[in-house]
Amino acid sequence: MSEASDLAERTLAAAGPGEAMVSVTRERSLMMRFSRSRPTQATSVDDLTVEVAALREGHVGRAASNATDSEALQRCARTAVRLAEAAAGIAGAGDYPGFALPAPVRGHEGHDPDTAALDPEHGGKALESAFAVARESHSEASGMWTAAEVQSAIASSSGLSVTDRVTDAFVKVVAFEPGGRSGYASQTAVAAGSLDTGEVARRAAEKATRGAHETESLPAGAYTVVMEPPAVHELLGVLASTAFNGLAHTELRGALVDRLGSRVTSPAVNLSDSPRYAGTLPRSFDAEGVPKAPLPLIQDGVAHRVVHDTRSAALAGTSSTGHALAAGGDSDGPVPTNLVLIGGAATDEQELCEPIERGIYVTRLWYTNVVRPREALFTAVTRDGTFLIEDGLVTRRLDDMRVTDSALGMLGRLEALGQRPVLVSDGELYGRRFATGSVCPPVRIGAVSFTGSAALPQARGAQPDR
């Protein structure tokens, strides 16, 4: 029995009679930030968190503690019970049906022992590589490098007892040239040794230094776009929250209400939540201990499923698909965390650009906000590498542009996909570490709605972590 599993069982015993679930999470991580080709911050985390979820009359109360002595565990359990009892006393019977029963979980290849060692020398060499590329390209590099091991264990009064260990590593570089232009690239992997920071920095610097110093503005309108995987990842994130969220779907707030079984995108779209797909960040079970398994979401453009945790599944009259983000269900509902968009026939971004007479090349999107969830309508701004495509070639740098369009509508106008999907993540892991990512290729999409220029002043070498 692992240390985390033993602690989960001890805490469950401290919870006493009644239904309860205990989650133990231990994070060990390193993070190194840098700006203007100089290190700015190094952080090491070794955190152990115990969370107790108590169920009373359909209501779940949760409490957490970093202390692991018997008194602290009992106090944490009592707090969770009191919260659940208070909710039941105020609101009457709730809708949570009970904690998951034991079920077999499958292993995965999401743990790398070398990464788990958390050798800071790996991060130091990564920064050296980024700074060397910046010097060669006459630019400056900002960004971050991070790696972690997370161990988790869940035990419940239903007899469930599961454990898991995962590692993840991430690097991003935003290169700035003297005139203030910027370029972005990143890489995510299970193993820190798989990251090639020098190559990431070269891709970022190439965007920052491409073309003349002046940027051009395009008027608002509909343009054909080529989107790199980081931009596609942001698009899929909009769908995760608006279309595939089982709670939103059950409450008739989702973008796939009355559309399951219907064609909602281009037939070229095949999208699934695949926690064991090669190249993703796998996990064995969700936050309620329900096993993870592949789930088709859109096949040949036809919407098939939404994802559920235990609570949303009970409301929908079905079973959990293993997508809980918290014991007892997250208030925002469940979302897929291992999205995989299958690639197409185009060799690379250059081939995707070839048919375009006049369009826009998008490296990534930021400040993404959902405007109307039922339509998957969102707004976002292009960033760190927005270029004009003319006669099949990426030519001049453009001012950043604001996209206002439907994520489903955009995939409905998808024209082509690149051959090679890659793992993309945000890498901004605030709070308890829960690394997720999408595996997706670059794409070409027609008639994307841009509502004008969104050029913002950007300080030379500013931190890119906004």
Side-chain angles (χ1 to χ4, degrees):
M1 181 179 291
S2 70
E3 177 186 358
S5 179
D6 177 68
L7 180 56
E9 295 290 349
R10 286 199 295 115
T11 308
L12 184 63
E19 294 185 77
M21 173 175 283
V22 177
S23 303
V24 175
T25 305
R26 185 185 182 192
E27 172 193 337
R28 298 169 48 254
S29 64
L30 293 176
M31 181 178 294
M32 299 182 183
R33 296 185 184 272
F34 51 98
S35 181
R36 301 184 67 173
S37 297
R38 290 192 298 271
T40 57
Q41 181 186 24
T43 304
S44 175
V45 173
D46 191 341
D47 174 79
L48 180 67
T49 301
V50 179
E51 182 176 76
V52 180
L55 176 62
R56 298 294 185 271
E57 298 183 43
H59 292 275
V60 176
R62 291 194 292 257
S65 173
N66 294 115
T68 59
D69 59 276
S70 296
E71 183 178 346
L73 297 179
Q74 290 175 356
R75 185 166 56 248
C76 182
R78 287 196 301 268
T79 300
V81 169
R82 284 198 298 268
L83 289 171
E85 290 175 343
I90 295 171
D95 54 20
Y96 192 76
F99 297 118
L101 296 174
V105 297
R106 289 187 56 177
H108 54 68
E109 297 182 357
H111 184 270
D112 176 64
D114 290 339
T115 302
L118 294 181
D119 186 350
E121 186 176 346
H122 293 162
K125 289 181 177 179
L127 269 60
E128 289 177 1
S129 298
F131 300 162
V133 170
R135 287 192 299 270
E136 293 170 4
S137 61
H138 305 288
S139 62
E140 293 180 336
S142 296
M144 63 179 288
W145 175 95
T146 182
E149 179 191 54
V150 176
Q151 301 180 44
S152 57
I154 298 178
S156 76
S157 54
S158 65
L160 185 148
S161 180
V162 290
T163 61
D164 201 8
R165 290 198 306 168
V166 296
T167 56
D168 70 272
F170 172 80
V171 63
K172 73 173 179 181
V173 177
V174 181
F176 293 88
E177 60 86 52
R181 297 177 303 164
S182 61
Y184 172 88
S186 67
Q187 193 175 6
T188 305
V190 166
S194 299
L195 301 180
D196 188 342
T197 304
E199 175 59 25
V200 171
R202 278 188 287 274
R203 289 191 281 120
E206 191 277 332
K207 293 188 181 74
T209 57
R210 178 186 293 176
H213 287 283
E214 295 77 16
T215 61
E216 298 185 22
S217 295
L218 287 185
Y223 296 90
T224 299
V225 302
V226 168
M227 302 174 71
E228 288 194 2
V232 179
H233 167 71
E234 196 74 12
L235 193 67
L236 297 181
V238 172
L239 290 180
S241 63
T242 63
F244 304 127
N245 181 325
L247 180 62
H249 186 81
T250 302
E251 295 177 343
L252 306 181
R253 299 181 285 109
L256 292 180
V257 172
D258 297 327
R259 302 186 71 182
L260 293 180
S262 302
R263 178 156 291 162
V264 295
T265 69
S266 161
V269 173
N270 287 281
L271 181 63
S272 63
D273 189 70
S274 299
R276 292 190 292 272
Y277 186 88
T280 190
L281 297 172
R283 281 184 173 80
S284 292
F285 50 83
D286 70 1
E288 295 178 312
V290 177
K292 289 280 193 181
L295 187 72
L297 300 172
I298 297 177
Q299 289 186 309
D300 300 325
V302 176
H304 279 261
R305 300 286 296 275
V306 297
V307 305
H308 285 290
D309 56 20
T310 299
R311 177 172 178 261
S312 70
L315 294 173
T318 185
S319 301
S320 171
T321 57
H323 290 87
L325 300 178
D330 185 87
S331 59
D332 291 330
V335 295
T337 55
N338 295 93
L339 287 173
V340 175
L341 178 63
I342 300 300
T347 303
D348 52 22
E349 287 87 343
Q350 180 178 344
E351 185 173 331
L352 289 170
C353 290
E354 288 177 359
I356 301 175
E357 292 185 9
R358 186 174 175 84
I360 299 175
Y361 186 96
V362 177
T363 295
R364 67 166 174 157
L365 300 171
W366 70 314
Y367 280 164
T368 303
N369 290 288
V370 174
V371 180
R372 291 198 290 268
R374 280 295 300 267
E375 302 170 30
L377 182 69
F378 73 99
T379 181
V381 178
T382 67
R383 185 186 184 192
D384 298 325
T386 307
F387 299 95
L388 184 65
I389 303 172
E390 296 177 293
D391 298 323
L393 298 175
V394 176
T395 57
R396 292 166 284 174
R397 179 174 291 272
L398 295 175
D399 288 335
D400 289 331
M401 301 281 289
R402 178 169 294 281
V403 180
T404 305
D405 209 329
S406 162
L408 279 177
M410 288 175 65
L411 290 184
R413 301 188 297 275
L414 185 140
E415 298 176 352
L417 304 98
Q419 287 180 353
R420 191 172 69 91
V422 297
L423 175 62
V424 183
S425 72
D426 300 321
E428 300 302 335
L429 303 167
Y430 299 107
R432 182 180 298 167
R433 193 176 186 107
F434 184 77
T436 64
S438 303
V439 177
C440 51
V443 301
R444 183 176 70 241
I445 299 175
V448 175
S449 176
F450 288 85
T451 50
S453 172
L456 297 173
Q458 190 172 55
R460 180 169 175 264
Q463 278 283 3
D465 302 324
R466 292 168 289 171

